[in-house]
Amino acid sequence: MKRNETADEGCRGSAVLYAVFLASLLAVIRLGYMAAGIGSKRELAGQMRWGQAQAAARSLHQSFCRAVSEGSSEAMNQIWDCFMRDCSELLNAYEEMEEEESETEDWETFLREEMEGREYTSVGEGGNGKMKARILLEAFPFDGRAYVHTQVEWEAFTICLGGEIHFDNERGRMRALPGFSGKEKICLTGDGVYRYWEEGR
């Protein structure tokens, strides 16, 4: 009889232990699901903020690129003015060379050699409480190309974007190069942004 009582007590003890273990396990699982739920909410909030940062950066970058292409960018228009001044100064230097030397290369060749690949840059920075932006415009007016590099900082995120513009719109604004009597002209606008891309930080 005593043996049976001891056996029953052992069974009851095992059952109690099992119940405690099961309750603990369920509590741990429940906490795990709660933690996963909190983690998912944080991840979702982070993804939403990242999406907002990307949208803001792309909007700013694409607007600036379109302005450069359409001829409404003040920064690019200043570069065009600087480029034309440089061409005029080169023409003056070329004419002086013609007076001093009996043999000189033609003006078109001289201008090409001096201006092809010449780079002009403009940098702009600004922002508000949530966003800071830096835009670098690299232009090669004689080659008819420009590149835009935009870096946007939004809260903890940094987004870098690039864009390429070709000035190839012959139906748009044109400008005559000095020394060509209006015959040699260059395009000041493009037929749209040539391409966009994402850059590393």
Side-chain angles (χ1 to χ4, degrees), residues 53-63 66 152 159 161 196 198:
Q54 277 191 317
R58 283 177 181 162
S59 177
L60 175 66
H61 176 67
Q62 291 176 5
S63 295
R66 283 196 299 269
V152 171
I159 299 163
L161 303 168
Y196 295 109
E198 290 190 13

Side-chain angles (χ1 to χ4, degrees), residues 59-109:
S59 177
L60 175 66
H61 176 67
Q62 291 176 5
S63 295
F64 187 84
C65 287
R66 283 196 299 269
V68 171
S69 179
E70 293 166 2
S72 58
S73 164
E74 184 180 344
M76 189 63 218
N77 288 336
Q78 288 176 355
I79 286 175
W80 282 121
D81 290 341
C82 186
F83 166 73
M84 295 304 293
R85 281 196 302 272
D86 288 348
C87 288
S88 296
E89 289 175 7
L90 277 174
L91 179 60
N92 293 334
Y94 175 78
E95 289 172 347
E96 288 177 8
M97 284 171 54
E98 273 192 317
E99 292 175 3
E100 295 172 2
E101 300 176 17
S102 57
E103 292 184 9
T104 56
E105 57 192 348
D106 65 274
W107 166 236
E108 183 178 353
T109 303

Side-chain angles (χ1 to χ4, degrees), residues 53-69 131 133-137 146-152 159-165 193-199:
Q54 277 191 317
R58 283 177 181 162
S59 177
L60 175 66
H61 176 67
Q62 291 176 5
S63 295
F64 187 84
C65 287
R66 283 196 299 269
V68 171
S69 179
M131 183 177 76
R134 182 180 186 273
I135 299 178
L136 168 64
L137 172 62
Y147 300 92
V148 176
H149 306 276
T150 303
Q151 179 177 301
V152 171
I159 299 163
C160 299
L161 303 168
E164 181 177 358
I165 296 98
V193 179
Y194 183 67
R195 65 187 176 113
Y196 295 109
W197 65 88
E198 290 190 13
E199 298 182 329

Side-chain angles (χ1 to χ4, degrees), residues 24-35:
S24 301
L25 183 64
L26 288 171
V28 168
I29 291 170
R30 192 161 47 246
L31 282 170
Y33 276 120
M34 285 175 62

